[in-house]
Amino acid sequence: MALFSGLPYAAVHMDAVAAAAGVAKPTLYRYFPTKEALFIAGLAWTLAELRDAVGAIPERDAAARLRRAVGLVLERIGALSPALTAIEGRGAEFGERSRRVLREGFDGLRGALAEVLRAGIASGELAVPDVDLAVLMILGGIRMAVHGTGRRAPASSAVADFFLHGLSAAAHPDGAPR
């Protein structure tokens, strides 16, 4: 997945993947018959690992946990955004498979983020009237920030601040007006 994160999707060749993995190309093809199949399997692994990383955030402070979670998701989804765009443009078979993997992966990620919010609610640090909607907005906002705007993704702290402080007219945490 490091190759897919660091290069345009079309520039990633199975020779380079085999070399990076330290295996012969026929061995790689035994497990992944195409580059698309390799990418989809790697995407499933990446999303599962991301879900686990969000669930294992050590900070106890709700705002710090949410900041860390947003940072992890923004960083990892942002790195794969060009490859995701390329794979979604492939044939119907791989497009549907990648959408299924994304759906399943994001379902797990939604659960992990919901737990972060619920813990913040339980501690009295967060007031979230609809956890499911908040999680969808966080993930949707991150996805649009890295995937659909055509501009460089914002800093994770800016995204986290938006979700922590919303659209209120109150002062920014550093005391400066917004």
Side-chain angles (χ1 to χ4, degrees):
M1 293 313 286
L3 291 173
F4 287 112
S5 294
L7 298 169
Y9 181 83
V12 176
H13 300 285
M14 293 298 266
D15 292 326
V17 173
V23 300
K25 195 170 164 183
T27 302
L28 184 62
Y29 276 113
R30 185 175 312 132
Y31 294 98
F32 306 103
T34 64
K35 179 170 78 169
E36 290 85 2
L38 171 70
F39 177 76
I40 291 169
L43 180 61
W45 177 84
T46 298
L47 291 171
E49 193 274 332
L50 180 54
R51 176 203 63 223
D52 294 345
V54 167
I57 293 172
E59 285 85 2
R60 295 200 182 278
D61 172 76
R65 285 188 77 204
L66 185 59
R67 284 180 194 290
R68 176 76 72 88
V70 167
L72 287 169
V73 175
L74 188 63
E75 171 191 321
R76 295 188 190 166
I77 299 301
L80 291 174
S81 184
L84 288 170
T85 300
I87 196 75
E88 288 170 350
R90 299 301 244 190
E93 175 194 350
F94 290 110
E96 179 52 37
R97 285 176 50 200
S98 67
R99 282 187 291 280
R100 182 176 34 80
V101 165
L102 282 170
R103 237 183 347 266
E104 292 168 359
F106 275 94
D107 283 348
L109 194 51
R110 273 197 306 270
L113 286 169
E115 288 306 312
V116 169
L117 295 179
R118 285 188 185 102
I121 293 166
S123 70
E125 296 173 81
L126 297 177
V128 182
D130 186 335
V131 170
D132 293 331
L133 178 60
V135 169
L136 289 174
M137 291 177 72
I138 290 169
L139 288 174
I142 289 171
R143 178 91 190 242
M144 287 304 296
V146 300
H147 191 65
T149 62
R151 63 179 209 172
R152 200 173 125 216
S156 62
S157 61
V159 175
D161 279 344
F162 180 81
F163 289 109
L164 286 167
H165 305 293
L167 301 173
S168 75
H172 192 270
D174 66 5
R178 290 197 200 183

